[in-house]
Amino acid sequence: MVRHGPALEALYGRPLDRRELEDSLGVSRATSHRTTRWLTERGLAVRRDGRFSLTGKGEVFADELLRLGRNLRAAERLAPLLDCICETHREFVVGPFADATVTEATPDDPYGPVSRFLELLDASATFRGFNTTHVVPPGSPAFAEGVFEEGDAEFVTVPTVADHVLSGETATAVERGHLRLRTREALPYGLAIFDDHVGVGGYDDETGALRVFVDTDGGDARRWAERVYEMYREASDPVTPGRDGDGEATR
């Protein structure tokens, strides 16, 4: 089937005569005869008025092959991220991120992924996510300003990080309702949902530094991100002003 994939792709959505098919595939007449015979014998294509076109079954096969090709190309581009989240990427799907911007930390630009994250955060009036405080630590100027002080933000983090948030200046954002905290004991990769983009971050296991950040404004990626975020959100506990990440009263 894979060997005949190019022929299915060539005929996808457009009937072709034999010469057009040969030109599209760059094959000889003999090869095109073998290919079209294979397709017609399996009910994937028909010939009408001298032109070959895909059947309904052939359209489905071609669509799946095209989808597989896109996913394989996406997986190749996203390899730096997949290498980071290999044990926790069960919910991650590569297809929606096929055309994403991939920002990887390099010796020449070790803070590239962080800069990209902050660029998107600065342009956004809302934020939802989990496991993102590696990028913007509590107490840092970037954490205390912008969406966390004036906008609408919510993120899920581990209890120890929530304690840091509530013990610092950012506690004001929580008290004012600009920042909502939720906690759970373990989180996978970083997930960030901005106004117009969604992003996924992979961290270094030893240092916790952001190694790669992948973001896109695609609708499929947003729907995936919102679904995954809600899944982790529902399995987390809210932290209210006056309570720390473990639910204990604070001063």
Side-chain angles (χ1 to χ4, degrees), residues 161-168 170-171 174 181 239-245 250:
V161 172
D163 291 345
H164 285 299
V165 173
L166 292 171
S167 65
T170 316
V174 178
L181 291 177
V239 177
T240 57
R243 300 282 173 177
D244 64 14
T250 60

Side-chain angles (χ1 to χ4, degrees), residues 91-109:
E91 306 93 352
F92 184 72
V93 289
V94 299
F97 291 86
D99 299 320
T101 298
V102 179
T103 309
E104 189 175 3
T106 65
D108 292 334
D109 189 9

Side-chain angles (χ1 to χ4, degrees), residues 38-232:
W38 189 93
L39 293 175
T40 55
E41 287 176 351
R42 285 158 180 79
L44 299 175
V46 293
R47 186 179 185 181
R48 297 190 183 93
D49 301 325
R51 300 172 73 83
F52 294 93
S53 61
L54 295 181
T55 61
K57 177 182 175 182
E59 292 276 352
V60 172
F61 275 46
D63 188 59
E64 290 303 315
L65 283 173
L66 288 167
R67 190 193 315 276
L68 174 62
R70 289 193 297 269
N71 287 345
L72 289 174
R73 289 189 294 273
E76 183 67 26
R77 292 190 67 244
L78 298 173
L81 175 65
L82 298 177
D83 288 343
C84 288
I85 65 174
C86 59
E87 295 182 358
T88 55
H89 77 287
R90 294 178 183 85
E91 306 93 352
F92 184 72
V93 289
V94 299
F97 291 86
D99 299 320
T101 298
V102 179
T103 309
E104 189 175 3
T106 65
D108 292 334
D109 189 9
Y111 303 111
V114 174
S115 297
R116 178 59 179 169
F117 180 98
L118 294 177
E119 175 187 345
L120 295 173
L121 181 63
D122 185 59
S124 184
T126 63
F127 177 82
R128 286 170 292 154
F130 56 69
N131 205 19
T132 56
T133 48
H134 295 63
V135 188
V136 191
S140 68
F143 193 98
E145 297 172 358
V147 66
F148 298 118
E149 276 296 326
E150 300 176 357
D152 179 22
E154 178 182 78
F155 65 81
V156 182
T157 187
V158 295
T160 53
V161 172
D163 291 345
H164 285 299
V165 173
L166 292 171
S167 65
E169 295 181 359
T170 316
T172 303
V174 178
E175 293 170 358
R176 292 177 178 175
H178 294 302
L179 173 59
R180 297 179 301 282
L181 291 177
R182 302 183 70 89
T183 62
R184 55 173 284 149
E185 290 300 325
L187 291 162
Y189 46 81
L191 177 69
I193 305 176
F194 307 99
D195 283 354
D196 301 319
H197 284 72
V198 298
V200 177
Y203 302 103
D204 185 278
D205 289 336
E206 296 183 0
T207 66
L210 186 65
R211 286 177 51 189
V212 58
F213 186 69
V214 173
D215 69 88
T216 177
D217 61 356
D220 288 343
R222 174 166 288 273
R223 285 185 285 275
W224 169 84
E226 291 179 344
R227 183 172 63 251
V228 171
Y229 178 72
E230 284 304 316
M231 179 177 67
Y232 279 91

